[in-house]
Amino acid sequence: MKRRFHRKNKKISRTEGGSLLYVIFFVTLLSILSCGYMAASKYHIRAALKNRAYMEARLTARMIHNSFCEAVRMGESEALGLLMDEFENDSSDLEADEENDDIDKENDIDEELEDKEYMTVGEGSYTDENGDPCTVRIRLKAYPVRGTAFVDTWTKTGGFSMHLESEVPLGDAENIP
């Protein structure tokens, strides 16, 4: 025979519903943890995208800088050619001034022009494959008697500004255009 218990006949104990409180507590804890995980994931995704943009900007700056330095080192830079022409003009002017002296002209001219700095600055801009603007400024300082040049490159791309600098040996200065 089945017995039916009516609510008013049943006694409620203090232990009933305790497991339901644990379930509610764990569901709440799980929701808090999942919201925290989503927020952390969103932060890491943004950081990864920014890091990727930074790496691309850095790579672009390095490629521009290294290609210009290589052109200077190989004597294929038009900017260096202009500076070398200016150096040749200064050398010719000093030779003309010292024609009447008995001093060794070659060494005297080298001493005179050793600390002379020849400098030029170029700027340009372009749009990269993503459609983002990129601006570049390159400063070339040459010391032909010493056989060295200094290249400073400022690049602004992808929201990042980069500055790179290098000392470049000129090699054979007579072969520079």
Side-chain angles (χ1 to χ4, degrees):
M1 168 171 227
K2 289 186 182 177
R3 288 188 173 195
R4 290 190 173 184
F5 291 101
H6 295 287
R7 188 106 174 123
K8 52 183 160 176
N9 293 340
K10 186 176 178 187
K11 289 186 177 179
I12 299 175
S13 71
R14 291 180 175 228
T15 58
E16 285 185 33
S19 58
L20 182 61
L21 286 175
Y22 283 118
V23 169
I24 291 172
F25 173 73
F26 284 121
V27 168
T28 305
L29 183 62
L30 182 63
S31 356
I32 291 171
L33 289 176
S34 64
C35 288
Y37 179 76
M38 287 189 327
S41 296
K42 184 177 178 182
Y43 170 77
H44 287 292
I45 288 171
R46 283 187 182 164
L49 289 175
K50 190 172 185 179
N51 190 28
R52 178 175 174 240
Y54 172 77
M55 295 304 278
E56 287 177 357
R58 190 171 122 183
L59 180 64
T60 300
R62 283 201 178 278
M63 286 183 356
I64 292 169
H65 179 75
N66 289 343
S67 64
F68 188 80
C69 288
E70 185 65 18
V72 168
R73 190 181 67 76
M74 298 298 290
E76 299 170 351
S77 169
E78 291 179 29
L80 183 61
L82 293 173
L83 295 180
M84 293 307 290
D85 288 344
E86 191 177 330
F87 169 72
E88 291 298 324
N89 289 340
D90 287 349
S91 295
S92 298
D93 290 346
L94 282 175
E95 280 181 23
D97 290 344
E98 297 181 352
E99 278 225 4
N100 297 331
D101 295 336
D102 293 334
I103 303 172
D104 183 15
K105 294 178 196 172
E106 186 80 25
N107 288 336
D108 195 32
I109 291 172
D110 285 349
E111 286 176 12
E112 187 76 30
L113 297 176
E114 183 176 14
D115 292 328
K116 179 135 185 191
E117 176 182 278
Y118 297 90
M119 184 176 75
T120 185
V121 177
E123 294 184 17
S125 63
Y126 69 96
T127 304
D128 66 4
E129 64 275 355
N130 297 332
D132 296 328
C134 179
T135 58
V136 179
R137 183 173 151 237
I138 298 176
R139 179 177 61 192
L140 174 63
K141 292 191 290 187
Y143 299 91
V145 175
R146 295 182 197 168
T148 61
F150 294 93
V151 177
D152 291 313
T153 307
W154 290 270
T155 308
K156 189 172 187 177
T157 182
F160 297 98
S161 295
M162 308 273 175
H163 174 243
L164 298 170
E165 55 187 32
S166 295
E167 180 177 357
V168 181
L170 292 180
D172 192 8
E174 284 79 33
N175 293 336
I176 297 174

